[in-house]
Amino acid sequence: QEAGAVVHEWFGFLIFLIVLGLVQLTIWLLERVRAAQSRAAEAAPTPPAGDCSLLDYKRAWGATAAVAIVAAGVAWATTRIDAQQTNPRTGVKLAADGLNPVALPNFIGLEWAGQNAPVTQIERDTLPEDTGFSRKNYISLSDKNQQVFLSIVLSGRDRTSIHRPEICLVGQGWTIRRAAPHHFSVSRLPGGPLRLPATVLHIDREVTTRRGEKAVLPALFAYWFVGSDRVVGTHWERILHSTIDRLRTFQNHRWAYVVVQTHALDGEAAALKRLQEVVDATLPAFQEEGLKD
């Protein structure tokens, strides 16, 4: 966090140096082009009296006016879009306060017990104040070493509540080995089974055991995004649909970012099975039905 603050503070000045350097490079290139044109003009025959310099000036002024009009239009559209109201509809069920997602179940059948997973102070300080949270750490009653972390982050008025999970994972010390699309099968919905699109990240990081030894901890990290009327499995799909909706309907939707994570010490197949079991059991409790992918 401290390194990020330093980068945020000083890179503003660096951007100015880059931009000014590119401006100077452009000027230098234009001067070379103009010098070459001047040499060519001197070598060419003298043009007749009625040259087209006036037409060149008109074209230049026309291009300048067009750029100014486009810039004004972009500024107006940006201001209009930024001022639009937040659509109260969400694809996840809300708690009584209307800000946070509904509380996750304390138990999943007789197999899993939910343990509260508090939101860290760093998360509250970093994310906007109107960001909503609901999360639990599910522990197997038959084997306490088997755990699945389930988290829902719900955006508010500020869109920076939601971002690419790959950024946070790397910042937390995880190494992403590969990413793959996946569909969870949810069979406990009243309306029938659902294929839930998601992205599964195969990750690992170095940890210190109780004996003080270094070891590599493999894990699976699955995520998806829930909008007011759809579910998508990738960050870029969310950006695309969010942009289209904001431009088409001038609506700022509250997207939810859902994560399930577990270790893979017993193999990725067993880890994926745990994720599937928890998703299948908990999804009806927090996600609205009828959403399309």
Side-chain angles (χ1 to χ4, degrees):
Q1 183 68 18
E2 183 178 354
V6 172
V7 171
H8 182 270
E9 180 177 357
W10 289 102
F11 264 49
F13 300 103
L14 180 60
I15 292 298
F16 275 102
L17 293 178
I18 294 173
V19 171
L20 292 175
L22 291 173
V23 169
Q24 292 300 318
L25 176 62
T26 303
I27 292 173
W28 178 75
L29 291 173
L30 289 174
E31 287 178 343
R32 293 197 61 180
V33 171
R34 178 173 294 183
Q37 290 176 341
S38 298
R39 289 193 297 269
E42 292 175 357
T46 303
D51 61 13
C52 56
S53 58
L54 180 59
L55 180 60
D56 291 339
Y57 276 112
K58 288 182 177 180
R59 287 175 177 173
W61 279 109
T64 302
V67 171
I69 292 172
V70 171
V74 170
W76 174 84
T78 302
T79 304
R80 174 79 182 276
I81 292 174
D82 189 60
Q84 63 192 225
Q85 297 297 316
T86 301
N87 190 330
R89 291 175 52 206
T90 66
V92 294
K93 300 175 182 178
L94 296 178
D97 59 11
L99 173 64
N100 293 290
V102 68
L104 296 170
N106 293 322
F107 293 94
I108 301 177
L110 300 177
E111 297 84 17
W112 299 89
Q115 183 182 60
N116 289 330
V119 181
T120 64
Q121 190 60 43
I122 292 179
E123 289 175 297
R124 294 195 180 278
D125 293 341
T126 304
L127 298 177
E129 294 182 358
D130 59 354
T131 303
F133 300 93
S134 182
R135 57 181 51 166
K136 267 187 170 54
N137 192 40
Y138 287 99
I139 304 172
S140 172
L141 296 177
S142 60
D143 183 359
K144 293 185 178 181
N145 291 322
Q146 308 303 326
Q147 302 183 12
V148 175
F149 174 67
L150 172 58
S151 171
I152 307 171
V153 178
L154 179 62
S155 67
R157 175 70 180 86
D158 195 319
R159 290 164 293 170
T160 59
S161 300
I162 307 288
H163 51 269
R164 292 179 65 236
E166 288 84 351
I167 298 175
C168 288
L169 285 174
V170 174
Q172 294 169 3
W174 293 95
T175 299
I176 301 174
R177 298 303 177 186
R178 63 188 179 91
H182 182 74
H183 279 83
F184 288 104
S185 177
V186 183
S187 59
R188 305 187 186 187
L189 292 173
L194 168 73
R195 293 182 74 243
L196 182 74
T199 297
V200 175
L201 302 179
H202 301 253
I203 59 178
D204 61 52
R205 72 175 176 182
E206 189 178 80
V207 296
T208 303
T209 65
R210 295 178 180 178
R211 298 179 179 179
E213 301 172 343
K214 298 293 184 181
V216 175
L217 174 64
L220 291 186
F221 182 101
Y223 67 89
W224 64 93
F225 299 96
V226 184
S228 61
D229 60 352
R230 69 181 65 244
V231 179
V232 296
T234 67
H235 169 75
W236 299 115
E237 286 178 293
R238 180 187 71 84
I239 292 294
L240 175 62
H241 289 296
S242 180
T243 302
I244 293 174
D245 288 341
R246 288 170 66 86
L247 293 176
R248 184 185 59 186
T249 64
F250 287 97
Q251 292 290 333
N252 180 22
H253 294 277
R254 296 183 66 188
W255 282 86
Y257 160 49
V258 186
V259 167
V260 283
Q261 180 179 357
T262 186
H263 71 77
L265 292 171
D266 52 351
E268 292 188 349
L272 192 59
K273 182 180 178 182
R274 280 194 297 276
L275 296 183
Q276 169 65 59
E277 185 176 348
V278 171
V279 169
D280 188 24
T282 59
L283 191 102
F286 68 83
Q287 188 167 302
E288 298 286 358
E289 288 190 68
L291 301 181
K292 58 185 178 179
D293 58 11

